[in-house]
Amino acid sequence: MFKAKIVSLAICLSVVGLFGVATATEVDPRGALYYEPAPLKEVELYCDEDDNITPAKNDFAILGYSMMSSEAGERHVLLTLKNNSTGQRLFNQDQLVAILGDCTRKKPLRVEKKFGGGERVTLQINFGYSRFPILKLMN
């Protein structure tokens, strides 16, 4: 009887262990975002303009940002902006451009955020997928 209980317990633990392993392998680590180093963040870049993509004129200042990416090539930025105007302004994807590692320029996916006069906000901005990392932001 005692041996039967031990065998049953061993079988139960094996089954739980197998399901635990199966659950752990279902998570795709390529989907996780990781912070990237930004060695060229403060450096002036002299890339050829890609189709003259430039940010629209705006009243926002970039106070700081960190780049994030996944192994699958997702590109995101955690960005802190300040509305330098005294009135309410709308920030959108046309007011920000990323310079990528191949010197091309890319606007983020759709984003809209209202800012009060002088307001500071931190946003996550999605630039979609790219083979090349984001080197720098322009606004």
Side-chain angles (χ1 to χ4, degrees):
M1 182 75 174
F2 181 71
K3 285 185 181 181
K5 287 183 180 180
I6 290 178
V7 171
S8 295
L9 180 62
I11 291 172
C12 287
L13 290 175
S14 296
V15 169
V16 168
L18 287 175
F19 284 116
V21 171
T23 304
T25 58
E26 288 175 13
V27 175
D28 185 0
R30 294 176 301 156
L33 293 174
Y34 301 95
Y35 283 99
E36 289 190 354
L40 301 176
K41 190 175 186 178
E42 303 300 326
V43 175
E44 189 68 34
L45 297 176
Y46 297 98
C47 295
D48 291 337
E49 288 191 30
D50 181 45
D51 298 328
N52 291 321
I53 298 174
T54 56
K57 185 174 167 123
N58 63 78
D59 292 319
F60 296 98
I62 296 175
L63 300 180
Y65 61 92
S66 294
M67 280 104 42
M68 300 178 286
S69 65
S70 71
E71 288 183 28
E74 279 183 279
R75 305 294 173 208
H76 295 260
V77 173
L78 190 63
L79 171 70
T80 301
L81 292 170
K82 179 183 179 190
N83 177 4
N84 284 331
S85 172
T86 56
Q88 187 179 53
R89 296 288 185 266
L90 179 68
F91 176 78
N92 67 41
Q93 68 277 358
D94 294 328
Q95 299 166 339
L96 187 65
V97 172
I99 300 176
L100 301 177
D102 64 348
C103 279
T104 59
R105 297 180 182 193
K106 184 175 187 176
K107 290 185 179 183
L109 301 180
R110 185 171 170 82
V111 60
E112 284 189 1
K113 173 69 178 160
K114 287 183 183 177
F115 282 71
E119 184 177 8
R120 298 171 187 216
V121 174
T122 300
L123 305 168
Q124 181 199 351
I125 308 293
N126 185 348
F127 282 87
Y129 287 84
S130 173
R131 188 173 139 208
F132 295 96
I134 295 172
L135 301 179
K136 190 173 188 168
L137 294 181
M138 301 175 3
N139 82 321

